[in-house]
Amino acid sequence: NGGDVIIWSDSDVSGGGVIRLLNSSEICTVSGTAGPSGTCSTTTTGGGDIVLAGGAASIADAARPGGFAAGFGTTFNNTGTSTMTGVQIGTQQQAGQGARLYSAGGQITIRGAGATANSTNRPTGIDVLANSVINSGAGQIQIDAEYRSSNAGQRTIEFSAWAGSGTTTITSTNTSSSAVVIRSSTAAGAAAGNLGISANSTVFNVGGGLVFEAERINTSLNLTFNVSGPLVFRPFATTLLNQSAATSFDLPSSIVFSSNPSSITVGSSTNTSPITISENLQTTSGNIELLTSGTISKTTTTTLTAAADVVATSRSSSIDMGSGAVSASNVRISPNTTYAGSAPLTASNGVISITGGSTVTLTGALQATGNITLSGTGQISNPTSGTITSSGGSASITSSGE
């Protein structure tokens, strides 16, 4: 209809009020258009916002909810009357149908929190059933999920839940760095070791940036990224971990890139969690950045290929680049303690620097067009006699200790 669609639950702030869009439901804010036979799926501008949320009114806009649609009780079934999941897009436990949201340039906002009950019966913040469509056209998408249960056995959000053979698609042609933002958090007093963000077959088609801001992300991700802007995985607060009892974050090899993003960031300047990269990463114009105070590593043959810089910074620990090649315009590695790895490091248009730590152990070749700088407070060694070559600069090897 061209106007906004706002579905507001738990407006009395009682802590209970869910939103259910059951199978085959559709919200389309394209003016004068109805149903999948219309232009809902192809119109990118002129539509209104879609808001699925709850709680007290927003401070910024009293006509909109500022909190979460909230799960309550313990009812969980396949008949469309479940109460434990805050926002249900599609009918729970029914595979392969889902629901559809089209905003044609309007912003899509979804906020859901799970029930507080100590139960594994789906106290999930948001369930997006398989074959669902979330399409904002040129608008932005923001999805916030909160875990409130004292039982750690469920997810904050699941994409393509009860997948069967279905695939969920999330689409925005918006070109901003925050075109699509997925947030996942745990409420005070809830089970911290939950399953986090989970996904069966899900495709993200994003003209700008895709941001995951979470405390936990499941390693069993079946995600396909068609992202033109920055791809970011960062902590909701100071820790970004995998599911359950995990004490580190592994970007898994199960993810697929149908096109490479402009840049990739894992972690942040406040992140404290160890990072492992298990998937080959490549950018089209920007950096690959790995940022934490914990250890940084990549699985043995994983490669990093950046159009700009590869930046790996551990503020308090070590870095191991494995054996897979690392190539970029500049390669800047900053451990706090040790650097190791047999990965060949190539700077095609600039410098290689491994600085700030104690010991540096090189077993791979270094090749740059600019300066190569190796420095530490301890031993710097090259036990396998890997070559160090600069075609246009100097090589500096400095130890303040040994």
Side-chain angles (χ1 to χ4, degrees):
N1 60 9
D4 300 335
V5 173
I6 299 172
I7 301 179
W8 189 336
S9 73
D10 193 27
S11 59
D12 60 357
V13 200
S14 65
V18 304
I19 294 174
R20 305 185 194 100
L21 301 181
L22 302 182
N23 281 344
S24 301
S25 297
E26 180 175 296
I27 297 175
C28 174
T29 62
V30 178
S31 181
T33 304
S37 60
T39 59
C40 291
S41 63
T42 57
T43 303
T44 60
T45 59
D49 295 346
I50 297 173
V51 179
L52 310 179
S58 169
I59 295 174
D61 184 350
R64 298 192 176 200
F68 296 91
F72 63 94
T74 58
T75 301
F76 174 59
N77 55 45
N78 63 358
T79 61
T81 59
S82 295
T83 65
M84 297 195 71
T85 300
V87 177
Q88 304 161 33
I89 300 178
T91 305
Q92 291 182 312
Q93 298 189 66
Q94 294 191 20
Q97 297 183 64
R100 298 176 294 275
L101 305 177
Y102 299 104
S103 66
Q107 179 167 314
I108 295 177
T109 302
I110 304 170
R111 299 193 195 100
T116 60
N118 184 1
S119 171
T120 58
N121 281 339
R122 217 62 186 179
T124 306
I126 300 171
D127 265 337
V128 181
L129 275 289
N131 271 351
S132 290
V133 174
I134 301 174
N135 186 336
S136 64
Q140 294 175 295
I141 298 172
Q142 179 177 313
I143 301 175
D144 292 324
E146 184 177 78
Y147 199 80
R148 296 180 175 179
S149 174
S150 55
N151 189 297
Q154 281 296 333
R155 304 145 181 82
T156 51
I157 181 171
E158 183 168 15
F159 295 103
S160 271
W162 293 280
S165 59
T167 295
T168 291
T169 58
I170 299 175
T171 301
S172 172
T173 62
N174 186 279
T175 57
S176 71
S177 61
S178 56
V180 178
V181 178
I182 313 293
R183 292 193 182 94
S184 167
S185 62
T186 302
N194 56 67
L195 302 184
I197 297 175
S198 300
N200 296 304
S201 180
T202 303
V203 177
F204 284 91
N205 300 307
V206 185
L210 171 59
V211 178
F212 291 89
E213 186 174 286
E215 292 170 332
R216 292 188 180 272
I217 299 178
N218 205 296
T219 51
S220 300
L221 294 176
N222 185 354
L223 297 177
T224 298
F225 294 129
N226 177 24
V227 178
S228 298
L231 175 61
V232 178
F233 297 87
R234 67 189 182 207
F236 181 83
T238 59
T239 57
L240 173 64
L241 304 168
N242 292 129
Q243 71 274 14
S244 302
T247 56
S248 63
F249 177 69
D250 183 355
L251 188 63
S253 59
S254 58
I255 63 175
V256 174
F257 292 93
S258 61
S259 65
N260 292 314
S262 63
S263 63
I264 300 172
T265 301
V266 180
S268 71
S269 61
T270 59
N271 183 36
T272 61
S273 304
I275 294 172
T276 301
I277 305 299
S278 299
E279 172 63 23
N280 298 333
L281 302 181
Q282 182 172 351
T283 65
T284 59
S285 60
N287 294 351
I288 295 173
E289 298 190 14
L290 312 177
L291 308 171
T292 185
S293 63
T295 60
I296 296 174
S297 61
K298 60 185 183 66
T299 51
T300 306
T301 58
T302 299
T303 61
L304 305 179
T305 307
D309 296 355
V310 167
V311 178
T313 301
S314 173
R315 302 185 305 278
S316 302
S317 196
S318 62
I319 297 177
D320 186 338
M321 286 287 103
S323 62
V326 176
S327 58
S329 290
N330 301 283
V331 178
R332 305 181 189 276
I333 298 174
S334 303
N336 179 264
T337 56
T338 63
Y339 171 81
S342 59
L345 308 182
T346 302
S348 60
N349 195 35
V351 305
I352 294 174
S353 63
I354 304 174
T355 60
S358 52
T359 62
V360 176
T361 304
L362 299 173
T363 54
L366 307 184
Q367 182 173 347
T369 59
N371 296 336
I372 297 175
T373 303
L374 309 177
S375 68
T377 59
Q379 185 178 64
I380 298 175
S381 62
N382 186 3
T384 61
S385 301
T387 59
I388 300 176
T389 306
S390 172
S391 62
S394 61
S396 172
I397 301 175
T398 305
S399 172
S400 61
E402 299 183 35

